[in-house]
Amino acid sequence: MKNILILTQFTLREAFSRKIFIMFSGVTLFILAVAALIFSFVSVDDFQGMVNVNGSQLEIFDKIVEVLKLVIVVPLFGIGIFLAIFSTSSFIPHMLEKGSIDLLLSKPVSRSQVILGKYFGGIAVVFINIAFLILGSWFLIGIKFGNWDPSFLLTIPTIVFAFAELYSLLILIGIITQSSVLAMMLTYLIYFIISPILSYRDNIFSFIESKTTEYILETLYYVLPKTQDLSTINSELAAGGSVPDWMPVILAFTFIILTIATSITIFSKKDY
Amino acid sequence: MNCIEINNLSKIFNPNTKKAVAALNDFNLSIPNGTIFGLLGPNGAGKTTLIKILLGITYASTGDAKILGEDILNYKVKRKVGYLPESHKYPPYLTGEQVLKFYAKLSGYSHSELDKRIEHLLKQVKMNKWKNTKVKAYSKGMMQRLGLAQAMVNDPELIFLDEPTDGVDPIGRKEIRDILFELKNEGKSIFLNSHLLSEVEMVTDRVAILDKGVLLKEGTVEELTTDKEIYNFEFENFVNANIDLYKEQFSIIGHKGSKLTVTVNDTRELNKLLDRFRNDGVLIKSVVPQKNTLEDMFISLIKESEENK
Ligand SMILES: Nc1ncnc2c1ncn2[C@@H]1O[C@H](COP(=O)(O)OP(=O)(O)O)[C@@H](O)[C@H]1O
Ligand SMILES: [Mg+2]
């Protein structure tokens, strides 16, 4: 346990030595600052003036807050995870380089501890960044609109969880291929193309009436990461709703366990 | 007790493929505690592979081994082990001091004394000046010094050094030798890989010679470099006229003034020669078995094994 903690800390440190994370945090701060600035110039009355014309005042006012939250969270899910994959994809290949893996494995740590340390370290890094941005926005919205709905904060674990699913895949590919480019490309492919397609497989079925295609797509959907579904859940939560369907969460969790277990098994057998 | 015990260890890389390499072949070795042990062999002999197997970095194909009395598969034994790899990379964004701290922690060494120990080690390897510089700015020699400090940071009982003087200037080498002697005086065991024979000869108590994964010879430097069949004689008086008579019976390979070098087949023949000298009234000042350098022996041994193939 202590070893995992040391390795996690160390991974965090590695991440923060990278320019990409400094950039990430910089962008986060910048967005928050801009939002704060806009908020301080535009008063709540202006908003009310805008929406006074039609409908119930309160209802539309809530709508604005909701839209605002979505405007923050939806791009964050996309860009945040994109950057997170980009910057963590080299963790494993770097670790496996000659000269650093020899030294690491010569220490009294087991190979499963090494993998878990890297895994939690990567997640911790992303958690810190995402939590910082979401908490910051939540405070700004709360102060400005008096809307302190805590369900908005649930998007922190959701985004981090979606990353955790993809990161487990990055680790597996990294262990097998030792290539950060390959790990990154395959993960992007799943994240941006395959998962969205599989998520809307029902629409495809109505076009192609082939039982085989249906069967293949259905299987792939259950086997591969379901980040698109998690993105949907994320938006629901941001807008103050609840999780519409727990199935993708359970499947993603299973995926993580199996992928990490496979990574550990393969890593434990390899000669370095 | 033995700090290292290796039984019938073999390693084949990429087994059952065309690229299969037998890096170690039925290797057996025991090393007593407190020894500076040198493993010698040409490039590709399997020296690095052996260390990596002992440290759990690579796995043996067959056989087993113990370090510090524990099976090598038990990773916890490495708390008491230090390692300087052949090529080592440290996180470039860390300073020398931070590197030592990280690896000490990873070795489970987190005494309140750690800072003091790091300070002391950095002085010992003469890297104190550079402790706050990021390692990406270090030269090869500096990396090697830091690596040596890293191998000692957890106060190990057994230290593996893979080509420790690689890329180090002569002064640095002398300093490394001095550190090794200090460690030995503290009762530590040291396992050293090298292809630099003269280096090894100066520091080690015992050596083994490895070629193509096969252990050719093992023993003290003394044992390995003493060729028992060649003797150097020195005389108080020697009657020059007799030399031809001796040559008829014995194989005299050198003769200069009052000195004589003779090859004998065994101890019996040596004593026969001594009797003959006594009979002739020759006064013997000294009889010394000829000592080869480790290098002479190494080269002839490797050649021999090549010819036998
Ligand atoms: N990971 C590996 N995969 C395949 N062959 C290897 C590997 N590591 C070492 N070898 C081979 O094993 C043999 C011994 O190598 P090594 O232990 O590095 O020798 P040394 O340290 O004595 O120079 C060499 O033939 C080398 O090519
Ligand atoms: Mg080597």
Side-chain angles (χ1 to χ4, degrees), chain A residues 184-216:
Chain A
M184 196 167 73
M185 287 305 168
L186 281 172
T187 310
Y188 280 150
L189 186 72
I190 288 179
Y191 181 50
F192 286 118
I193 299 170
I194 298 181
S195 177
I197 290 177
L198 292 176
S199 183
Y200 298 111
R201 64 198 180 290
D202 287 345
N203 301 37
I204 299 174
F205 297 158
S206 56
F207 285 115
I208 311 162
E209 283 181 26
S210 149
K211 267 272 165 269
T212 335
T213 318
E214 198 177 323
Y215 187 74
I216 292 171

PDB file of all heavy atoms in Angstrom, chain A residues 184-216:
ATOM      1  N   MET A 184      -1.890   6.323 -27.695  1.00  0.00           N
ATOM      2  CA  MET A 184      -2.688   7.534 -27.804  1.00  0.00           C
ATOM      3  C   MET A 184      -3.664   7.437 -28.977  1.00  0.00           C
ATOM      4  O   MET A 184      -4.851   7.720 -28.837  1.00  0.00           O
ATOM      5  CB  MET A 184      -1.744   8.706 -28.013  1.00  0.00           C
ATOM      6  CG  MET A 184      -2.332  10.038 -27.773  1.00  0.00           C
ATOM      7  SD  MET A 184      -1.007  11.254 -27.703  1.00  0.00           S
ATOM      8  CE  MET A 184      -0.552  11.369 -29.403  1.00  0.00           C
ATOM      9  N   MET A 185      -3.152   7.001 -30.127  1.00  0.00           N
ATOM     10  CA  MET A 185      -3.986   6.925 -31.331  1.00  0.00           C
ATOM     11  C   MET A 185      -5.159   5.971 -31.137  1.00  0.00           C
ATOM     12  O   MET A 185      -6.298   6.295 -31.464  1.00  0.00           O
ATOM     13  CB  MET A 185      -3.147   6.448 -32.524  1.00  0.00           C
ATOM     14  CG  MET A 185      -2.180   7.488 -33.039  1.00  0.00           C
ATOM     15  SD  MET A 185      -3.071   9.005 -33.432  1.00  0.00           S
ATOM     16  CE  MET A 185      -1.755  10.153 -33.644  1.00  0.00           C
ATOM     17  N   LEU A 186      -4.857   4.786 -30.619  1.00  0.00           N
ATOM     18  CA  LEU A 186      -5.922   3.796 -30.432  1.00  0.00           C
ATOM     19  C   LEU A 186      -6.974   4.308 -29.451  1.00  0.00           C
ATOM     20  O   LEU A 186      -8.171   4.119 -29.663  1.00  0.00           O
ATOM     21  CB  LEU A 186      -5.327   2.480 -29.923  1.00  0.00           C
ATOM     22  CG  LEU A 186      -4.662   1.621 -30.994  1.00  0.00           C
ATOM     23  CD1 LEU A 186      -3.941   0.436 -30.363  1.00  0.00           C
ATOM     24  CD2 LEU A 186      -5.709   1.121 -31.989  1.00  0.00           C
ATOM     25  N   THR A 187      -6.517   4.979 -28.414  1.00  0.00           N
ATOM     26  CA  THR A 187      -7.462   5.484 -27.421  1.00  0.00           C
ATOM     27  C   THR A 187      -8.328   6.604 -28.010  1.00  0.00           C
ATOM     28  O   THR A 187      -9.536   6.639 -27.792  1.00  0.00           O
ATOM     29  CB  THR A 187      -6.710   5.981 -26.175  1.00  0.00           C
ATOM     30  OG1 THR A 187      -5.803   4.954 -25.781  1.00  0.00           O
ATOM     31  CG2 THR A 187      -7.657   6.256 -25.044  1.00  0.00           C
ATOM     32  N   TYR A 188      -7.704   7.484 -28.783  1.00  0.00           N
ATOM     33  CA  TYR A 188      -8.484   8.540 -29.452  1.00  0.00           C
ATOM     34  C   TYR A 188      -9.513   7.941 -30.408  1.00  0.00           C
ATOM     35  O   TYR A 188     -10.640   8.414 -30.502  1.00  0.00           O
ATOM     36  CB  TYR A 188      -7.565   9.482 -30.237  1.00  0.00           C
ATOM     37  CG  TYR A 188      -6.885  10.519 -29.371  1.00  0.00           C
ATOM     38  CD1 TYR A 188      -5.636  11.022 -29.722  1.00  0.00           C
ATOM     39  CD2 TYR A 188      -7.492  11.000 -28.216  1.00  0.00           C
ATOM     40  CE1 TYR A 188      -5.003  11.980 -28.941  1.00  0.00           C
ATOM     41  CE2 TYR A 188      -6.863  11.943 -27.427  1.00  0.00           C
ATOM     42  CZ  TYR A 188      -5.614  12.435 -27.792  1.00  0.00           C
ATOM     43  OH  TYR A 188      -5.003  13.371 -27.025  1.00  0.00           O
ATOM     44  N   LEU A 189      -9.079   6.919 -31.114  1.00  0.00           N
ATOM     45  CA  LEU A 189      -9.970   6.261 -32.067  1.00  0.00           C
ATOM     46  C   LEU A 189     -11.228   5.777 -31.350  1.00  0.00           C
ATOM     47  O   LEU A 189     -12.355   5.995 -31.808  1.00  0.00           O
ATOM     48  CB  LEU A 189      -9.231   5.079 -32.716  1.00  0.00           C
ATOM     49  CG  LEU A 189      -9.968   4.371 -33.835  1.00  0.00           C
ATOM     50  CD1 LEU A 189      -9.987   5.261 -35.071  1.00  0.00           C
ATOM     51  CD2 LEU A 189      -9.305   3.042 -34.178  1.00  0.00           C
ATOM     52  N   ILE A 190     -11.035   5.152 -30.206  1.00  0.00           N
ATOM     53  CA  ILE A 190     -12.181   4.648 -29.457  1.00  0.00           C
ATOM     54  C   ILE A 190     -13.011   5.809 -28.906  1.00  0.00           C
ATOM     55  O   ILE A 190     -14.230   5.831 -29.017  1.00  0.00           O
ATOM     56  CB  ILE A 190     -11.699   3.729 -28.322  1.00  0.00           C
ATOM     57  CG1 ILE A 190     -11.207   2.423 -28.940  1.00  0.00           C
ATOM     58  CG2 ILE A 190     -12.813   3.479 -27.308  1.00  0.00           C
ATOM     59  CD1 ILE A 190     -10.689   1.427 -27.968  1.00  0.00           C
ATOM     60  N   TYR A 191     -12.326   6.795 -28.362  1.00  0.00           N
ATOM     61  CA  TYR A 191     -13.003   7.901 -27.703  1.00  0.00           C
ATOM     62  C   TYR A 191     -13.820   8.742 -28.679  1.00  0.00           C
ATOM     63  O   TYR A 191     -15.002   9.030 -28.442  1.00  0.00           O
ATOM     64  CB  TYR A 191     -11.952   8.761 -26.993  1.00  0.00           C
ATOM     65  CG  TYR A 191     -12.523   9.935 -26.248  1.00  0.00           C
ATOM     66  CD1 TYR A 191     -13.585   9.774 -25.365  1.00  0.00           C
ATOM     67  CD2 TYR A 191     -11.973  11.199 -26.408  1.00  0.00           C
ATOM     68  CE1 TYR A 191     -14.099  10.851 -24.666  1.00  0.00           C
ATOM     69  CE2 TYR A 191     -12.481  12.286 -25.706  1.00  0.00           C
ATOM     70  CZ  TYR A 191     -13.542  12.109 -24.850  1.00  0.00           C
ATOM     71  OH  TYR A 191     -14.038  13.170 -24.161  1.00  0.00           O
ATOM     72  N   PHE A 192     -13.200   9.118 -29.805  1.00  0.00           N
ATOM     73  CA  PHE A 192     -13.861  10.069 -30.707  1.00  0.00           C
ATOM     74  C   PHE A 192     -14.723   9.417 -31.773  1.00  0.00           C
ATOM     75  O   PHE A 192     -15.643  10.011 -32.287  1.00  0.00           O
ATOM     76  CB  PHE A 192     -12.824  10.963 -31.388  1.00  0.00           C
ATOM     77  CG  PHE A 192     -12.266  11.998 -30.465  1.00  0.00           C
ATOM     78  CD1 PHE A 192     -10.914  12.000 -30.156  1.00  0.00           C
ATOM     79  CD2 PHE A 192     -13.087  12.952 -29.886  1.00  0.00           C
ATOM     80  CE1 PHE A 192     -10.391  12.959 -29.293  1.00  0.00           C
ATOM     81  CE2 PHE A 192     -12.578  13.906 -29.023  1.00  0.00           C
ATOM     82  CZ  PHE A 192     -11.231  13.910 -28.719  1.00  0.00           C
ATOM     83  N   ILE A 193     -14.384   8.187 -32.162  1.00  0.00           N
ATOM     84  CA  ILE A 193     -15.096   7.581 -33.281  1.00  0.00           C
ATOM     85  C   ILE A 193     -15.906   6.349 -32.879  1.00  0.00           C
ATOM     86  O   ILE A 193     -17.131   6.318 -33.035  1.00  0.00           O
ATOM     87  CB  ILE A 193     -14.114   7.254 -34.428  1.00  0.00           C
ATOM     88  CG1 ILE A 193     -13.466   8.560 -34.896  1.00  0.00           C
ATOM     89  CG2 ILE A 193     -14.840   6.552 -35.581  1.00  0.00           C
ATOM     90  CD1 ILE A 193     -12.330   8.400 -35.843  1.00  0.00           C
ATOM     91  N   ILE A 194     -15.220   5.362 -32.334  1.00  0.00           N
ATOM     92  CA  ILE A 194     -15.911   4.091 -32.111  1.00  0.00           C
ATOM     93  C   ILE A 194     -17.006   4.184 -31.038  1.00  0.00           C
ATOM     94  O   ILE A 194     -18.135   3.753 -31.252  1.00  0.00           O
ATOM     95  CB  ILE A 194     -14.887   2.988 -31.779  1.00  0.00           C
ATOM     96  CG1 ILE A 194     -13.962   2.819 -32.988  1.00  0.00           C
ATOM     97  CG2 ILE A 194     -15.597   1.672 -31.456  1.00  0.00           C
ATOM     98  CD1 ILE A 194     -12.917   1.772 -32.854  1.00  0.00           C
ATOM     99  N   SER A 195     -16.645   4.796 -29.905  1.00  0.00           N
ATOM    100  CA  SER A 195     -17.643   4.865 -28.829  1.00  0.00           C
ATOM    101  C   SER A 195     -18.894   5.647 -29.244  1.00  0.00           C
ATOM    102  O   SER A 195     -20.015   5.185 -28.988  1.00  0.00           O
ATOM    103  CB  SER A 195     -17.016   5.444 -27.567  1.00  0.00           C
ATOM    104  OG  SER A 195     -17.977   5.575 -26.566  1.00  0.00           O
ATOM    105  N   PRO A 196     -18.763   6.828 -29.898  1.00  0.00           N
ATOM    106  CA  PRO A 196     -19.992   7.514 -30.355  1.00  0.00           C
ATOM    107  C   PRO A 196     -20.807   6.668 -31.332  1.00  0.00           C
ATOM    108  O   PRO A 196     -22.037   6.607 -31.226  1.00  0.00           O
ATOM    109  CB  PRO A 196     -19.442   8.775 -31.048  1.00  0.00           C
ATOM    110  CG  PRO A 196     -18.127   9.019 -30.408  1.00  0.00           C
ATOM    111  CD  PRO A 196     -17.577   7.661 -30.092  1.00  0.00           C
ATOM    112  N   ILE A 197     -20.112   6.001 -32.266  1.00  0.00           N
ATOM    113  CA  ILE A 197     -20.845   5.186 -33.229  1.00  0.00           C
ATOM    114  C   ILE A 197     -21.614   4.079 -32.519  1.00  0.00           C
ATOM    115  O   ILE A 197     -22.814   3.868 -32.747  1.00  0.00           O
ATOM    116  CB  ILE A 197     -19.885   4.557 -34.280  1.00  0.00           C
ATOM    117  CG1 ILE A 197     -19.347   5.653 -35.198  1.00  0.00           C
ATOM    118  CG2 ILE A 197     -20.603   3.471 -35.092  1.00  0.00           C
ATOM    119  CD1 ILE A 197     -18.343   5.161 -36.215  1.00  0.00           C
ATOM    120  N   LEU A 198     -20.904   3.391 -31.608  1.00  0.00           N
ATOM    121  CA  LEU A 198     -21.538   2.261 -30.923  1.00  0.00           C
ATOM    122  C   LEU A 198     -22.682   2.722 -30.032  1.00  0.00           C
ATOM    123  O   LEU A 198     -23.671   2.008 -29.844  1.00  0.00           O
ATOM    124  CB  LEU A 198     -20.506   1.492 -30.099  1.00  0.00           C
ATOM    125  CG  LEU A 198     -19.454   0.739 -30.916  1.00  0.00           C
ATOM    126  CD1 LEU A 198     -18.429   0.092 -30.000  1.00  0.00           C
ATOM    127  CD2 LEU A 198     -20.115  -0.305 -31.802  1.00  0.00           C
ATOM    128  N   SER A 199     -22.545   3.927 -29.512  1.00  0.00           N
ATOM    129  CA  SER A 199     -23.575   4.436 -28.637  1.00  0.00           C
ATOM    130  C   SER A 199     -24.885   4.659 -29.408  1.00  0.00           C
ATOM    131  O   SER A 199     -25.970   4.531 -28.857  1.00  0.00           O
ATOM    132  CB  SER A 199     -23.099   5.741 -28.005  1.00  0.00           C
ATOM    133  OG  SER A 199     -24.051   6.212 -27.106  1.00  0.00           O
ATOM    134  N   TYR A 200     -24.753   5.013 -30.703  1.00  0.00           N
ATOM    135  CA  TYR A 200     -25.948   5.230 -31.534  1.00  0.00           C
ATOM    136  C   TYR A 200     -26.187   4.059 -32.469  1.00  0.00           C
ATOM    137  O   TYR A 200     -26.672   4.235 -33.580  1.00  0.00           O
ATOM    138  CB  TYR A 200     -25.818   6.547 -32.302  1.00  0.00           C
ATOM    139  CG  TYR A 200     -25.728   7.719 -31.351  1.00  0.00           C
ATOM    140  CD1 TYR A 200     -24.543   8.448 -31.222  1.00  0.00           C
ATOM    141  CD2 TYR A 200     -26.817   8.060 -30.554  1.00  0.00           C
ATOM    142  CE1 TYR A 200     -24.451   9.501 -30.329  1.00  0.00           C
ATOM    143  CE2 TYR A 200     -26.729   9.110 -29.649  1.00  0.00           C
ATOM    144  CZ  TYR A 200     -25.558   9.829 -29.541  1.00  0.00           C
ATOM    145  OH  TYR A 200     -25.472  10.855 -28.643  1.00  0.00           O
ATOM    146  N   ARG A 201     -25.798   2.869 -32.032  1.00  0.00           N
ATOM    147  CA  ARG A 201     -25.895   1.695 -32.904  1.00  0.00           C
ATOM    148  C   ARG A 201     -27.334   1.415 -33.326  1.00  0.00           C
ATOM    149  O   ARG A 201     -27.577   0.901 -34.410  1.00  0.00           O
ATOM    150  CB  ARG A 201     -25.272   0.472 -32.246  1.00  0.00           C
ATOM    151  CG  ARG A 201     -25.990   0.012 -30.978  1.00  0.00           C
ATOM    152  CD  ARG A 201     -25.112  -0.888 -30.148  1.00  0.00           C
ATOM    153  NE  ARG A 201     -25.813  -1.325 -28.951  1.00  0.00           N
ATOM    154  CZ  ARG A 201     -26.113  -0.528 -27.925  1.00  0.00           C
ATOM    155  NH1 ARG A 201     -25.814   0.757 -27.941  1.00  0.00           N
ATOM    156  NH2 ARG A 201     -26.754  -0.998 -26.870  1.00  0.00           N
ATOM    157  N   ASP A 202     -28.290   1.797 -32.490  1.00  0.00           N
ATOM    158  CA  ASP A 202     -29.694   1.548 -32.831  1.00  0.00           C
ATOM    159  C   ASP A 202     -30.086   2.255 -34.125  1.00  0.00           C
ATOM    160  O   ASP A 202     -30.832   1.721 -34.933  1.00  0.00           O
ATOM    161  CB  ASP A 202     -30.614   2.007 -31.693  1.00  0.00           C
ATOM    162  CG  ASP A 202     -30.517   1.060 -30.502  1.00  0.00           C
ATOM    163  OD1 ASP A 202     -29.975  -0.059 -30.719  1.00  0.00           O
ATOM    164  OD2 ASP A 202     -30.932   1.438 -29.399  1.00  0.00           O
ATOM    165  N   ASN A 203     -29.538   3.464 -34.298  1.00  0.00           N
ATOM    166  CA  ASN A 203     -29.818   4.209 -35.533  1.00  0.00           C
ATOM    167  C   ASN A 203     -29.233   3.492 -36.740  1.00  0.00           C
ATOM    168  O   ASN A 203     -29.802   3.492 -37.821  1.00  0.00           O
ATOM    169  CB  ASN A 203     -29.197   5.605 -35.467  1.00  0.00           C
ATOM    170  CG  ASN A 203     -29.742   6.395 -34.298  1.00  0.00           C
ATOM    171  OD1 ASN A 203     -29.990   5.831 -33.229  1.00  0.00           O
ATOM    172  ND2 ASN A 203     -29.939   7.680 -34.496  1.00  0.00           N
ATOM    173  N   ILE A 204     -28.047   2.867 -36.540  1.00  0.00           N
ATOM    174  CA  ILE A 204     -27.416   2.139 -37.649  1.00  0.00           C
ATOM    175  C   ILE A 204     -28.246   0.913 -38.010  1.00  0.00           C
ATOM    176  O   ILE A 204     -28.457   0.610 -39.178  1.00  0.00           O
ATOM    177  CB  ILE A 204     -25.986   1.716 -37.255  1.00  0.00           C
ATOM    178  CG1 ILE A 204     -25.149   2.966 -36.969  1.00  0.00           C
ATOM    179  CG2 ILE A 204     -25.351   0.880 -38.370  1.00  0.00           C
ATOM    180  CD1 ILE A 204     -23.773   2.689 -36.446  1.00  0.00           C
ATOM    181  N   PHE A 205     -28.763   0.262 -36.991  1.00  0.00           N
ATOM    182  CA  PHE A 205     -29.543  -0.949 -37.243  1.00  0.00           C
ATOM    183  C   PHE A 205     -30.741  -0.670 -38.148  1.00  0.00           C
ATOM    184  O   PHE A 205     -31.156  -1.519 -38.920  1.00  0.00           O
ATOM    185  CB  PHE A 205     -30.046  -1.570 -35.922  1.00  0.00           C
ATOM    186  CG  PHE A 205     -28.934  -2.031 -35.024  1.00  0.00           C
ATOM    187  CD1 PHE A 205     -29.152  -2.181 -33.658  1.00  0.00           C
ATOM    188  CD2 PHE A 205     -27.668  -2.323 -35.544  1.00  0.00           C
ATOM    189  CE1 PHE A 205     -28.134  -2.606 -32.826  1.00  0.00           C
ATOM    190  CE2 PHE A 205     -26.650  -2.742 -34.708  1.00  0.00           C
ATOM    191  CZ  PHE A 205     -26.878  -2.883 -33.344  1.00  0.00           C
ATOM    192  N   SER A 206     -31.260   0.538 -38.034  1.00  0.00           N
ATOM    193  CA  SER A 206     -32.433   0.841 -38.853  1.00  0.00           C
ATOM    194  C   SER A 206     -32.056   1.033 -40.316  1.00  0.00           C
ATOM    195  O   SER A 206     -32.891   0.934 -41.200  1.00  0.00           O
ATOM    196  CB  SER A 206     -33.148   2.088 -38.319  1.00  0.00           C
ATOM    197  OG  SER A 206     -32.265   3.175 -38.269  1.00  0.00           O
ATOM    198  N   PHE A 207     -30.764   1.337 -40.556  1.00  0.00           N
ATOM    199  CA  PHE A 207     -30.292   1.449 -41.948  1.00  0.00           C
ATOM    200  C   PHE A 207     -29.898   0.099 -42.518  1.00  0.00           C
ATOM    201  O   PHE A 207     -30.313  -0.302 -43.574  1.00  0.00           O
ATOM    202  CB  PHE A 207     -29.058   2.376 -42.030  1.00  0.00           C
ATOM    203  CG  PHE A 207     -29.398   3.813 -41.902  1.00  0.00           C
ATOM    204  CD1 PHE A 207     -28.949   4.559 -40.810  1.00  0.00           C
ATOM    205  CD2 PHE A 207     -30.172   4.453 -42.883  1.00  0.00           C
ATOM    206  CE1 PHE A 207     -29.255   5.896 -40.697  1.00  0.00           C
ATOM    207  CE2 PHE A 207     -30.479   5.792 -42.776  1.00  0.00           C
ATOM    208  CZ  PHE A 207     -30.026   6.524 -41.670  1.00  0.00           C
ATOM    209  N   ILE A 208     -29.036  -0.587 -41.747  1.00  0.00           N
ATOM    210  CA  ILE A 208     -28.507  -1.858 -42.242  1.00  0.00           C
ATOM    211  C   ILE A 208     -29.266  -2.983 -41.578  1.00  0.00           C
ATOM    212  O   ILE A 208     -29.225  -3.149 -40.359  1.00  0.00           O
ATOM    213  CB  ILE A 208     -27.005  -1.995 -41.901  1.00  0.00           C
ATOM    214  CG1 ILE A 208     -26.262  -0.725 -42.312  1.00  0.00           C
ATOM    215  CG2 ILE A 208     -26.409  -3.224 -42.569  1.00  0.00           C
ATOM    216  CD1 ILE A 208     -24.929  -0.568 -41.657  1.00  0.00           C
ATOM    217  N   GLU A 209     -29.959  -3.753 -42.388  1.00  0.00           N
ATOM    218  CA  GLU A 209     -30.705  -4.848 -41.795  1.00  0.00           C
ATOM    219  C   GLU A 209     -29.928  -6.137 -41.927  1.00  0.00           C
ATOM    220  O   GLU A 209     -30.238  -7.000 -42.748  1.00  0.00           O
ATOM    221  CB  GLU A 209     -32.085  -4.946 -42.438  1.00  0.00           C
ATOM    222  CG  GLU A 209     -32.997  -3.870 -41.892  1.00  0.00           C
ATOM    223  CD  GLU A 209     -34.395  -3.945 -42.474  1.00  0.00           C
ATOM    224  OE1 GLU A 209     -34.807  -5.051 -42.892  1.00  0.00           O
ATOM    225  OE2 GLU A 209     -35.052  -2.891 -42.522  1.00  0.00           O
ATOM    226  N   SER A 210     -28.859  -6.205 -41.170  1.00  0.00           N
ATOM    227  CA  SER A 210     -28.059  -7.420 -41.193  1.00  0.00           C
ATOM    228  C   SER A 210     -27.878  -7.894 -39.759  1.00  0.00           C
ATOM    229  O   SER A 210     -27.413  -7.153 -38.898  1.00  0.00           O
ATOM    230  CB  SER A 210     -26.691  -7.155 -41.837  1.00  0.00           C
ATOM    231  OG  SER A 210     -25.718  -7.988 -41.276  1.00  0.00           O
ATOM    232  N   LYS A 211     -28.277  -9.099 -39.529  1.00  0.00           N
ATOM    233  CA  LYS A 211     -28.202  -9.648 -38.172  1.00  0.00           C
ATOM    234  C   LYS A 211     -26.745  -9.720 -37.697  1.00  0.00           C
ATOM    235  O   LYS A 211     -26.440  -9.464 -36.524  1.00  0.00           O
ATOM    236  CB  LYS A 211     -28.838 -11.055 -38.142  1.00  0.00           C
ATOM    237  CG  LYS A 211     -30.308 -11.028 -37.763  1.00  0.00           C
ATOM    238  CD  LYS A 211     -30.484 -11.104 -36.226  1.00  0.00           C
ATOM    239  CE  LYS A 211     -31.885 -10.729 -35.772  1.00  0.00           C
ATOM    240  NZ  LYS A 211     -32.054  -9.305 -35.465  1.00  0.00           N
ATOM    241  N   THR A 212     -25.843 -10.054 -38.647  1.00  0.00           N
ATOM    242  CA  THR A 212     -24.427 -10.196 -38.276  1.00  0.00           C
ATOM    243  C   THR A 212     -23.867  -8.849 -37.809  1.00  0.00           C
ATOM    244  O   THR A 212     -23.206  -8.774 -36.777  1.00  0.00           O
ATOM    245  CB  THR A 212     -23.595 -10.686 -39.481  1.00  0.00           C
ATOM    246  OG1 THR A 212     -24.457 -11.388 -40.370  1.00  0.00           O
ATOM    247  CG2 THR A 212     -22.468 -11.573 -39.032  1.00  0.00           C
ATOM    248  N   THR A 213     -24.105  -7.802 -38.605  1.00  0.00           N
ATOM    249  CA  THR A 213     -23.622  -6.469 -38.233  1.00  0.00           C
ATOM    250  C   THR A 213     -24.157  -6.087 -36.860  1.00  0.00           C
ATOM    251  O   THR A 213     -23.416  -5.594 -36.010  1.00  0.00           O
ATOM    252  CB  THR A 213     -24.093  -5.426 -39.265  1.00  0.00           C
ATOM    253  OG1 THR A 213     -23.956  -5.974 -40.562  1.00  0.00           O
ATOM    254  CG2 THR A 213     -23.302  -4.146 -39.139  1.00  0.00           C
ATOM    255  N   GLU A 214     -25.421  -6.343 -36.682  1.00  0.00           N
ATOM    256  CA  GLU A 214     -26.052  -5.999 -35.421  1.00  0.00           C
ATOM    257  C   GLU A 214     -25.367  -6.712 -34.276  1.00  0.00           C
ATOM    258  O   GLU A 214     -25.062  -6.119 -33.239  1.00  0.00           O
ATOM    259  CB  GLU A 214     -27.530  -6.405 -35.497  1.00  0.00           C
ATOM    260  CG  GLU A 214     -28.362  -5.725 -34.444  1.00  0.00           C
ATOM    261  CD  GLU A 214     -29.852  -6.076 -34.580  1.00  0.00           C
ATOM    262  OE1 GLU A 214     -30.332  -6.200 -35.724  1.00  0.00           O
ATOM    263  OE2 GLU A 214     -30.491  -6.243 -33.536  1.00  0.00           O
ATOM    264  N   TYR A 215     -25.115  -7.994 -34.519  1.00  0.00           N
ATOM    265  CA  TYR A 215     -24.499  -8.812 -33.486  1.00  0.00           C
ATOM    266  C   TYR A 215     -23.097  -8.298 -33.141  1.00  0.00           C
ATOM    267  O   TYR A 215     -22.728  -8.143 -31.979  1.00  0.00           O
ATOM    268  CB  TYR A 215     -24.434 -10.269 -33.979  1.00  0.00           C
ATOM    269  CG  TYR A 215     -23.971 -11.220 -32.913  1.00  0.00           C
ATOM    270  CD1 TYR A 215     -24.814 -11.588 -31.854  1.00  0.00           C
ATOM    271  CD2 TYR A 215     -22.684 -11.751 -32.943  1.00  0.00           C
ATOM    272  CE1 TYR A 215     -24.382 -12.449 -30.869  1.00  0.00           C
ATOM    273  CE2 TYR A 215     -22.245 -12.614 -31.959  1.00  0.00           C
ATOM    274  CZ  TYR A 215     -23.103 -12.969 -30.928  1.00  0.00           C
ATOM    275  OH  TYR A 215     -22.681 -13.809 -29.950  1.00  0.00           O
ATOM    276  N   ILE A 216     -22.307  -7.994 -34.208  1.00  0.00           N
ATOM    277  CA  ILE A 216     -20.937  -7.510 -34.004  1.00  0.00           C
ATOM    278  C   ILE A 216     -20.933  -6.180 -33.249  1.00  0.00           C
ATOM    279  O   ILE A 216     -20.214  -6.005 -32.266  1.00  0.00           O
ATOM    280  CB  ILE A 216     -20.202  -7.354 -35.353  1.00  0.00           C
ATOM    281  CG1 ILE A 216     -19.957  -8.737 -35.972  1.00  0.00           C
ATOM    282  CG2 ILE A 216     -18.869  -6.631 -35.174  1.00  0.00           C
ATOM    283  CD1 ILE A 216     -19.431  -8.685 -37.399  1.00  0.00           C
TER     284      ILE A 216
END
